[in-house]
Amino acid sequence: MNNRFSEELFLTNEAGKMLYHKYAEHMPIIDYHCHLQPSEIAENKEFEDLGEMWLRGDHYKWRCMRTFGIDEKYITGDASYYEKYMKFAQILPQLVGNPIYIWCALELKRYFDIDEPLTAANAQEIYDRTKKLITEKHMTRRWCMEHSNVRLVSTTEDPIDDLRYHKALNEEKMFTRVITAFRPDKAMFCTNADFAAYLDKLSAAAQQPIGSFADMLGALEKRLQYFQQVTGTTVSDDGIPYFNWADYTPAEVEGIFAKARSGGKLTRHEIDQYQSAFLFEMARIYNRNHYVMQLHIGTYLDANTSHVKSVGQSTGFDCCDDAAPVKGVGELLNNLTTIGELPKTILYPLDGTKIETWAILAAGFCDNGTKAKVQLGAPWWFNDQAFGIQRQFEACANLYPVSLSVGMLTDSRSFISYPRHELYRRVLCSYLGSLVERGEYFSGEEELKKTIENVCFNNVNEFFDFNVEI
């Protein structure tokens, strides 16, 4: 029975092994969607220990630790990173079949050249070894990105952010280019208690008054252009936990906006109208400013309200939902197509069981002149593991060409999560290899090389106009 990390992980056939090691293994990374903090990249501090590298801000691990009944003190509480690490080490061997087990194995191997499994018995020894290496190699935030051959990373910021850290980073000559994604969610969630206060902050950031829905859009576009000016970004990001298209008139939307800003209670239909108008107009803004529209669809946020109240948001209490139906998003795309203003778009449905229907929708809105204009994004959040990736390949290659995909992203707050790109590439090559060995693909190695290199790097570089040179 094997008790060491295998370099043939997920490579289940000989053709897949050849394709991965020959073409995919050493391709550089473009991580076009993550939640790293630009302040940490700018400050570039050395990590304290493996506990900090693994457990600082990682809600995947936090969620898992809770299932084992570990006290919150050792998850998001005031215990030291060493104490949190030791608690996590106790449960890691029991995470059989869970992606966290594989992610941790990959991270130990790639950053510390440790190929033995972490257990409670060797936890102290591995802690000491990794802590020594962190000091010897001066493992900082930037070191992790450079070590992983990350050529570009896109963080995610609110329109009111002043981008001070991005400005500082742009003045340095770094191996990894750092840009930002424009995320205007707080302007769309008009029922939030802080909606009016947020508009005041947006007004101050844009240096213009906001007295109407049209004014708000003008302020958002001004900030979007500022984001592009500072970092050269072409990346937007809209989260839509629920969405149903509802027709509206400009007058109706202005009335809803005024009502929401004054704290009035909106009907479900009014919310649908406002969100429809918001996404439609933002898409037009993206299109004329040459941004890619990313729609993250179907999150069920803050499911456990009592724990969110005590611990905070984005700490492991979010779930999946199907409250943003395919038809609702389809109506948005259709209305934009009708006026000729549909931007490049990536759809990220969180409900992986319905992935085929989203693939069909994406294919229905591609048109002349732009390759893969609307496409499925990588399996994300609860789907970014071998099963979810394989499921998407198996299901969606029948409906949308895998070869056009912009590949993997981390969607992570961790600086050592880049092996998730490796996992994706391994599953991709194994999938392609299985087609070859079953006789279902026989166009030759050169064509598969092109596909692999495109999915790993070239497609995303071209789709977002990043112009990263290697």
Side-chain angles (χ1 to χ4, degrees):
M1 185 173 178
N2 179 47
N3 64 346
R4 286 289 189 273
F5 172 83
S6 171
E7 287 295 348
E8 306 310 320
L9 176 70
F10 294 123
L11 300 175
T12 58
N13 54 74
E14 292 305 312
K17 291 177 184 178
M18 181 275 292
L19 292 171
Y20 175 73
H21 292 303
K22 192 171 182 180
Y23 302 119
E25 185 172 11
H26 301 295
M27 290 293 292
I29 290 172
I30 290 178
D31 196 34
Y32 56 97
H33 176 74
C34 74
H35 296 281
L36 297 178
Q37 294 300 309
S39 59
E40 292 190 47
I41 303 173
E43 292 163 0
N44 198 32
K45 291 181 180 178
E46 187 176 294
F47 285 98
E48 177 182 323
D49 58 14
L50 183 56
E52 182 187 13
M53 295 176 93
W54 265 352
L55 296 166
R56 186 175 186 270
D58 193 333
H59 56 80
Y60 286 92
K61 294 185 181 71
W62 295 347
R63 184 185 183 93
C64 198
M65 292 170 77
R66 292 189 190 105
T67 66
F68 280 84
I70 293 175
D71 191 279
E72 194 68 33
K73 172 183 177 181
Y74 301 102
I75 302 173
T76 61
D78 58 3
S80 68
Y81 284 124
Y82 169 76
E83 292 173 305
K84 292 176 179 180
Y85 160 82
M86 294 301 287
K87 288 291 184 181
F88 179 67
Q90 293 174 11
I91 69 166
L92 186 58
Q94 295 301 308
L95 296 182
V96 55
N98 191 285
I100 291 175
Y101 182 88
I102 293 298
W103 291 342
C104 289
L106 281 165
E107 289 158 8
L108 284 174
K109 180 63 178 176
R110 296 296 170 242
Y111 297 99
F112 301 100
D113 200 27
I114 293 173
D115 60 3
E116 62 191 274
L118 173 65
T119 67
N122 67 1
Q124 184 64 53
E125 177 194 351
I126 287 181
Y127 179 86
D128 293 338
R129 288 168 62 186
T130 55
K131 190 170 178 63
K132 182 181 179 183
L133 284 169
I134 288 170
T135 301
E136 288 179 351
K137 296 188 176 183
H138 191 48
M139 292 187 183
T140 64
R141 274 65 174 170
R142 297 185 200 178
W143 181 91
C144 292
M145 294 191 291
E146 185 168 347
H147 182 76
S148 300
N149 199 15
V150 181
R151 302 308 304 270
L152 181 145
V153 64
S154 177
T155 63
T156 306
E157 270 71 54
D158 187 279
I160 67 173
D161 195 288
D162 62 12
L163 303 183
R164 69 180 69 178
Y165 296 107
H166 284 90
K167 288 179 180 178
L169 290 168
N170 284 345
E171 293 174 359
E172 301 185 47
K173 289 186 177 180
M174 292 171 49
F175 179 84
T176 305
R177 178 183 166 198
V178 182
I179 65 171
T180 182
F182 184 84
R183 183 153 192 161
D185 289 9
K186 290 183 179 179
M188 186 179 79
F189 297 144
C190 59
T191 58
N192 284 358
D194 63 349
F195 180 64
Y198 176 76
L199 293 178
D200 291 340
K201 294 176 183 177
L202 177 61
S203 174
Q207 297 182 325
Q208 67 179 57
I210 298 178
S212 65
F213 181 73
D215 289 343
M216 181 189 71
L217 292 173
L220 287 169
E221 183 163 17
K222 187 174 181 179
R223 295 302 295 168
L224 178 141
Q225 291 168 347
Y226 173 74
F227 273 43
Q228 194 165 65
Q229 176 188 347
V230 171
T231 72
T233 186
T234 57
V235 185
S236 72
D237 183 27
D238 291 86
I240 47 176
Y242 49 85
F243 178 70
N244 286 284
W245 177 269
D247 291 333
Y248 59 88
T249 66
E252 286 175 323
V253 175
E254 289 293 357
I256 295 167
F257 175 85
K259 186 177 179 181
R261 189 169 193 180
S262 64
K265 185 174 178 58
L266 302 182
T267 66
R268 178 71 263 177
H269 182 63
E270 287 175 326
I271 295 170
D272 290 343
Q273 286 181 302
Y274 179 86
Q275 292 191 343
S276 297
F278 182 87
L279 287 174
F280 180 79
E281 294 300 336
M282 286 307 303
R284 297 179 68 199
I285 290 172
Y286 298 148
N287 185 61
R288 62 177 169 259
N289 288 280
H290 309 292
Y291 271 64
V292 173
M293 178 168 69
Q294 296 187 100
L295 299 178
H296 283 86
I297 304 161
T299 52
Y300 171 22
L301 303 175
D302 303 336
N304 188 334
T305 56
S306 61
H307 279 68
V308 169
K309 186 175 181 180
S310 63
V311 180
Q313 291 183 310
S314 300
T315 55
F317 300 105
D318 299 328
C319 302
C320 307
D321 198 6
D322 59 356
V326 173
K327 186 175 181 179
V329 176
E331 286 295 309
L332 171 65
L333 303 180
N334 181 53
N335 280 282
L336 289 163
T337 300
T338 299
I339 64 169
E341 296 188 42
L342 177 66
K344 292 180 183 177
T345 300
I346 306 178
L347 306 177
Y348 300 88
L350 194 52
D351 183 356
T353 64
K354 297 183 176 66
I355 193 69
E356 294 98 329
T357 57
W358 290 99
I360 294 168
L361 179 72
F365 285 94
C366 292
D367 59 17
N368 293 335
T370 304
K371 183 168 62 177
K373 184 171 186 177
V374 179
Q375 63 175 277
L376 283 175
W380 70 294
W381 205 340
F382 298 109
N383 301 305
D384 59 355
Q385 19 67 13
F387 173 77
I389 296 167
Q390 181 74 24
R391 175 174 61 188
Q392 184 159 320
F393 288 148
E394 296 282 359
C396 297
N398 297 293
L399 307 164
Y400 199 114
V402 167
S403 61
L404 299 180
S405 169
V406 294
M408 193 54 176
L409 45 78
T410 63
D411 189 36
S412 174
R413 292 168 173 79
S414 169
F415 283 87
I416 58 171
S417 62
Y418 299 110
R420 296 181 195 181
H421 285 262
E422 176 182 337
L423 190 156
Y424 178 91
R425 293 171 180 186
R426 287 174 175 271
V427 176
L428 169 66
C429 290
S430 185
Y431 167 70
L432 296 175
S434 69
L435 296 179
V436 170
E437 297 198 351
R438 294 200 304 263
E440 297 176 33
Y441 186 85
F442 39 88
S443 290
E445 185 178 330
E446 190 61 30
E447 289 298 327
L448 285 176
K449 171 182 182 291
K450 184 189 304 181
T451 292
I452 291 166
E453 292 178 347
N454 285 345
V455 173
C456 291
F457 183 85
N458 296 331
N459 286 347
V460 64
N461 200 23
E462 177 185 342
F463 194 74
F464 285 91
D465 295 319
F466 285 147
N467 298 312
V468 175
E469 296 182 1
I470 58 173

